[in-house]
Amino acid sequence: MDPYDTPESTPRHGASSRLKDYFIGATPLRKRLESVRKQASFVPTPPRRKIPQCSQLQEDNDPQKFAFLLHKQWTLYSLTPLYKFSYTNLKEYSRLLSAFIAAEKQKGLAVEVGEDFNIKVTFSTLLGMKGTQRDPEAFLVQILSKSQLPSENRGQKVLWTGWFCCVFGDSLLETVPEDFTCVPLFLANGAETNTAIVGTWFQKTFDCHFSSLAINAFNLSWMAAMWTACKMDQYMATTEFLWSVPCSPQSLDISYAIHPEDAKALWDSVHKTPGEVTQEEVDLFMDCLYSHFHRHFKIHLSATRLVRVSTSVASAHTDGKIKILCHKYLIGVLAYLTELAIFQID
Amino acid sequence: MDETVAEFIKRTILKIPMTEMMTILKAWDFLPENQLQTVNFRQRKESLVQDLVLLCENKRASLRDAALLDIIYTQFHQHQKVWDVFQMSKEPGEDVDLFDMEQFKSSFEKILRRALKNVTVSFRDAEENAVWIRIAWGTQYRKPNQYKPVFVVYYSQTPYVFTSFCHLKSNTPLLSQALTVASNHHKIVKMDLRSRYLDSLKAIVFKQYNQKFETHNSTMPLQENLELDMHMDSRIIHENRIEKERVQRVTQETFGDYPQPRLEFAQYKLETKFKSDFHGGILAERKEPLRCLIKFSSPHLLEALKSLAPAGIADAPLSPLLTCIPNKGMNYFKIRDK
């Protein structure tokens, strides 16, 4: 059906032909690795062999315990260690933060028409949300509204949730002195204004600093590979990737959804090292997806920007947004995110 | 005037942007020119609308008048709806009748009324022998919902019908039947083509998109471009000049010189085996295909696709799966291995 001849392939310089080389050249795998390392050097991340994420995550935890954290979209931040934070003072912190929020809202900084100023703040620990014994306890902060309306749940609607955790944070814990508590990963759900207020209070009280945690394409690819590698009894969602194409003047988005069983079959075919996920495997997995796409559409996805990956385990967006769908691998997902957060702090 | 009609007229006029108010009211032609001149168009919109509705009440506007206004509003704001395309066909060997617009309209309405007691049907003729039809659906027991109408645009000299997306799928068979019978066709089929841009859909199915400009010698403007660049500084040599020229030429041959019809997306359902020359062994034993769903989205899809090869993001020529979209009049595809 194709009326045109395929283009001549002779070795040339320049961006478009470098891409061609990956599909025509002698050792595409090595070149792919080099290109990823080059990409990685723009946002330096250590090349690594990943510790197994799949088999390590047999959660004995009661699945209901953390169920409220699943299926929600969380915005990610990295957080520097907290100075003189104490788990015994949580009630005091609730009180102080409550007062702070009320004061800020009355200042007119974050007023919404008709908003009920009767709010309550709770601090609570999330037991078991850690990787090793050394990890500090994760804790949760919630802003609840004390509704004065005689509605169904008399009392309390959750307006905003934020949680702080550290999963396998050894690399950070080792470097930090006594008075500091390391909870480098912060996840927030709710109005931006509330996140800003809570953030300000923490920064003032514990002399710490929040930064938005973006996830680059390199890490998104890793996440896609690792989550596809996870053993699932049941697939709840299709495996999907979203690329944004830098063409002008019109933007173009390409969404590529693959049946989760087929994605798994592809991964199994790529996967060689038992219990581990390696850089080569991630590259090959992505390369196969790119290649399948190119065969049909003649478009080089590797030249575009990976913006979002979504699997039955979790979905992640490059802007630093995550949604965790599977309690079994919750710790595994948090471990990767903790690593990204720690890297950003360093 | 019925309260519901008054409310309906009020809400419809409220939707109209101030800049278009006069134009649309004139096109509606319900309130005469001299009456419109008595209205203060510089006041706040809410007050203006109140004045206009009062005038409509005095003139005893009916549901029919209100429906007509809704059609005109939609004609001015076509892109607010998503349009599907249907193609009708006659039995082979059937006589070609002379099309009678009035007969079509009355027959169409009769068929709908016979099936559904509660339905509002309105017509407005348009150019190119087309007619816009507005249908508000009700049920046996409920009056028609005027706020969720379906719009149908039928070009009577062609077998094509464009319909605005309808949430109530249950009425589609009835609508299809009414269209085919009233227009003396035998069959109606939904095409795999959907877009907000009615003009683009027309251009695609009527094959008018490539007739806008006369095609000159296509290599001429291209060479001028490159020569101009080279004159800027003779020390600058274009890398891949030959390759770039080839890509430009092939892209132009594929997409043409004319502006592309406007589509927002193309969707491909793939069930094809994984095959790769460089990944030999991967999935080699697997007989089952990979089940993929791929969607391209853009404010102007075809222009975006056209820019891919020159930007180095795609090969030239681009895959026929993408370039065939206007030719085949499809933006939904199911692809299987042969």
Side-chain angles (χ1 to χ4, degrees), chain B residues 28-274:
Chain B
W28 188 29
D29 203 21
F30 176 71
L31 298 171
E33 183 84 40
N34 51 10
Q35 272 203 324
L36 285 178
Q37 278 173 2
T38 66
V39 177
N40 176 10
F41 279 83
R42 289 183 201 235
Q43 57 184 317
R44 280 179 68 230
K45 197 173 184 185
E46 287 84 10
S47 327
L48 170 64
V49 173
Q50 269 180 347
D51 287 353
L52 290 169
V53 173
L54 198 56
L55 286 180
C56 292
E57 267 188 28
N58 293 342
K59 238 193 146 210
R60 287 200 244 276
S62 65
L63 179 59
R64 196 184 166 147
D65 300 309
L68 189 59
L69 180 62
D70 197 15
I71 295 182
I72 296 172
Y73 173 81
T74 308
Q75 286 175 319
F76 273 77
H77 294 267
Q78 297 173 3
H79 58 278
Q80 284 181 2
K81 307 261 178 228
V82 176
W83 301 90
D84 283 320
V85 189
F86 288 81
Q87 185 176 14
M88 298 189 285
S89 52
K90 293 198 199 270
E91 278 273 282
E94 224 178 275
D95 288 334
V96 178
D97 310 322
L98 270 177
F99 182 81
D100 183 324
M101 184 58 90
E102 296 313 308
Q103 195 184 12
F104 166 77
K105 289 183 201 172
S106 104
S107 180
F108 181 82
E109 184 161 0
K110 265 205 202 101
I111 295 170
L112 288 184
R113 283 201 188 289
R114 229 186 287 145
L116 262 185
K117 204 168 49 146
N118 286 315
V119 67
T120 311
V121 186
S122 326
F123 302 95
R124 186 171 197 243
D125 290 340
E127 56 308 285
E128 296 176 79
N129 291 302
V131 60
W132 276 64
I133 313 173
R134 177 185 180 277
I135 305 151
W137 302 104
T139 65
Q140 287 289 17
Y141 310 105
R142 277 214 304 260
K143 292 198 111 167
N145 182 349
Q146 299 300 338
Y147 298 98
K148 290 215 162 103
V150 164
F151 292 90
V152 175
V153 186
Y154 173 40
Y155 284 81
S156 60
Q157 300 302 312
T158 77
Y160 294 104
V161 179
F162 304 91
T163 67
S164 66
F165 180 75
C166 183
H167 296 276
L168 270 176
K169 297 270 191 285
S170 54
N171 288 315
T172 312
L174 176 58
L175 178 58
S176 304
Q177 188 194 16
L179 282 167
T180 40
V181 174
S183 64
N184 285 320
H185 283 90
H186 176 66
K187 212 169 66 154
I188 185 168
V189 163
K190 182 155 182 282
M191 292 175 70
D192 290 322
L193 186 58
R194 179 183 281 174
S195 171
R196 287 187 181 276
Y197 301 98
L198 200 49
D199 284 338
S200 293
L201 291 175
K202 271 173 58 190
I204 291 172
V205 296
F206 299 158
K207 305 258 182 261
Q208 289 168 344
Y209 55 92
N210 54 3
Q211 287 162 18
K212 288 226 166 115
F213 300 153
E214 281 182 352
T215 39
H216 299 283
N217 183 355
S218 55
T219 56
M220 279 287 280
L222 179 63
Q223 275 176 0
E224 276 170 19
N225 239 327
L226 286 177
E227 274 174 26
L228 204 63
D229 287 347
M230 298 214 314
H231 282 146
M232 274 168 26
D233 189 328
S234 56
R235 293 170 298 177
I236 296 175
I237 303 169
H238 274 278
E239 291 180 6
N240 305 334
R241 186 168 63 86
I242 296 170
E243 175 61 13
K244 278 192 181 152
E245 280 174 22
R246 187 196 70 84
V247 168
Q248 287 278 26
R249 191 186 63 241
V250 169
T251 303
Q252 211 156 31
E253 280 167 16
T254 320
F255 287 90
D257 249 336
Y258 41 82
Q260 301 295 314
R262 192 167 178 183
L263 295 171
E264 311 86 72
F265 70 92
Q267 185 173 289
Y268 297 81
K269 192 163 175 203
L270 300 178
E271 273 176 39
T272 51
K273 276 194 72 173
F274 178 77

Side-chain angles (χ1 to χ4, degrees), chain A residues 90-335:
Chain A
L90 295 186
K91 265 219 168 64
E92 176 76 1
Y93 298 150
S94 308
R95 217 180 40 80
L96 291 171
L97 182 51
S98 217
F100 184 77
I101 293 174
E104 288 294 310
K105 299 229 169 180
Q106 280 178 4
K107 262 195 231 169
L109 277 181
V111 176
E112 275 155 34
V113 177
E115 188 175 303
D116 187 355
F117 281 4
N118 264 337
I119 52 133
K120 184 171 124 175
V121 174
T122 59
F123 275 66
S124 50
T125 47
L126 290 166
L127 293 173
M129 187 171 289
K130 45 160 74 177
T132 65
Q133 282 308 324
R134 270 189 81 179
D135 287 331
E137 293 298 336
F139 63 94
L140 177 79
V141 178
Q142 283 190 308
I143 302 178
L144 307 140
S145 81
K146 283 187 284 189
S147 174
Q148 286 168 343
L149 302 165
S151 50
E152 326 77 46
N153 51 341
R154 70 192 156 97
Q156 311 196 341
K157 191 174 111 174
V158 176
L159 294 177
W160 180 93
T161 310
W163 43 300
F164 301 73
C165 64
C166 180
V167 179
F168 292 107
D170 285 329
S171 57
L172 183 64
L173 295 169
E174 279 159 18
T175 63
V176 156
E178 273 281 320
D179 292 332
F180 286 87
T181 308
C182 291
V183 276
L185 184 63
F186 173 60
L187 306 94
N189 170 284
E192 267 276 338
T193 48
N194 286 331
T195 309
I197 294 178
V198 173
T200 308
W201 183 82
F202 265 85
Q203 288 180 158
K204 277 168 55 163
T205 315
F206 303 109
D207 199 21
C208 59
H209 180 65
F210 290 87
S211 325
S212 293
L213 186 63
I215 308 173
N216 64 17
F218 177 76
N219 287 307
L220 286 175
S221 305
W222 263 94
M223 287 180 186
M226 286 197 304
W227 297 341
T228 305
C230 295
K231 266 201 199 66
M232 300 285 291
D233 304 317
Q234 201 193 2
Y235 288 108
M236 295 171 298
T238 185
T239 303
E240 190 177 332
F241 299 80
L242 182 64
W243 280 273
S244 170
V245 183
C247 59
S248 68
Q250 301 293 344
S251 64
L252 175 65
D253 287 331
I254 301 177
S255 140
Y256 185 167
I258 176 169
H259 194 289
E261 286 167 5
D262 296 341
K264 188 68 161 59
L266 177 61
W267 171 257
D268 288 340
S269 195
V270 163
H271 189 212
K272 294 287 179 285
T273 46
E276 280 190 330
V277 174
T278 66
Q279 182 70 66
E280 273 108 337
E281 287 166 357
V282 175
D283 288 345
L284 185 52
F285 178 66
M286 294 304 291
D287 224 23
C288 287
L289 292 172
Y290 293 153
S291 166
H292 188 65
F293 188 89
H294 182 268
R295 182 162 83 85
H296 293 86
F297 299 104
K298 299 281 181 270
I299 296 176
H300 301 288
L301 282 176
S302 47
T304 68
R305 196 168 75 103
L306 181 57
V307 155
R308 184 171 182 265
V309 300
S310 181
T311 66
S312 291
V313 170
S315 71
H317 189 285
T318 195
D319 290 344
K321 303 220 189 297
I322 192 126
K323 203 185 258 192
I324 306 173
L325 303 170
C326 177
H327 81 274
K328 200 165 149 194
Y329 296 109
L330 175 62
I331 297 295
V333 172
L334 293 176

